Amino acid sequence: MQKYYQTLSKDKKREIKELYKKEYHKTSINARLIRLLIFSILSIITAIVILILTFKYEKNHITSIILAIILILSSLIFIIGRSYVKLNLLNKIALKNK
């Protein structure tokens, strides 16, 4: 099921994003979303470094590979959740400014 925001044209979406930037620029939700994105990217980079070092220096790869895969999956889940929360906020703003 599509949200109202997804049914809008590109121009309307751009207007809604501008309203989002004005309304939520200095709020805690925006700071949390940015922090979540930064931590997710850092954890993906850490998982890649773990994989590289595992294949380079370790003989038993299993535990480090499982750790890196869990880290990548949890990071992707956080990124998807972040986009879901942001989409809900944009949809709320779009419905308010119909």
Side-chain angles (χ1 to χ4, degrees):
M1 184 172 141
Q2 285 189 338
K3 303 273 186 178
Y4 174 70
Y5 174 75
Q6 293 171 335
T7 61
L8 297 175
S9 66
K10 285 185 179 183
D11 295 329
K12 291 287 186 179
K13 283 183 181 181
R14 193 173 302 122
E15 290 175 18
I16 299 298
K17 284 183 182 179
E18 289 298 322
L19 288 172
Y20 167 79
K21 287 178 185 176
K22 289 177 186 175
E23 193 172 327
Y24 289 97
H25 180 66
K26 293 286 184 178
T27 60
S28 66
I29 189 76
N30 193 37
R32 290 177 184 179
L33 290 176
I34 291 171
R35 192 178 322 128
L36 188 61
L37 180 65
I38 291 170
F39 288 153
S40 297
I41 291 171
L42 286 176
S43 63
I44 288 174
I45 292 170
T46 304
I48 291 170
V49 169
I50 288 172
L51 284 174
I52 291 170
L53 292 176
T54 296
F55 287 120
K56 191 171 184 179
Y57 294 113
E58 289 185 14
K59 291 181 181 176
N60 189 6
H61 306 302
I62 301 292
T63 56
S64 297
I65 291 173
I66 291 172
L67 176 71
I69 289 173
I70 290 172
L71 192 58
I72 289 172
L73 289 177
S74 61
S75 300
L76 291 177
I77 289 170
F78 286 144
I79 289 174
I80 291 169
R82 176 193 180 273
S83 64
Y84 181 73
V85 169
K86 190 169 181 179
L87 180 65
N88 283 340
L89 282 173
L90 290 171
N91 191 48
K92 184 176 92 172
I93 293 170
L95 287 173
K96 187 169 68 174
N97 296 314
K98 259 187 176 179

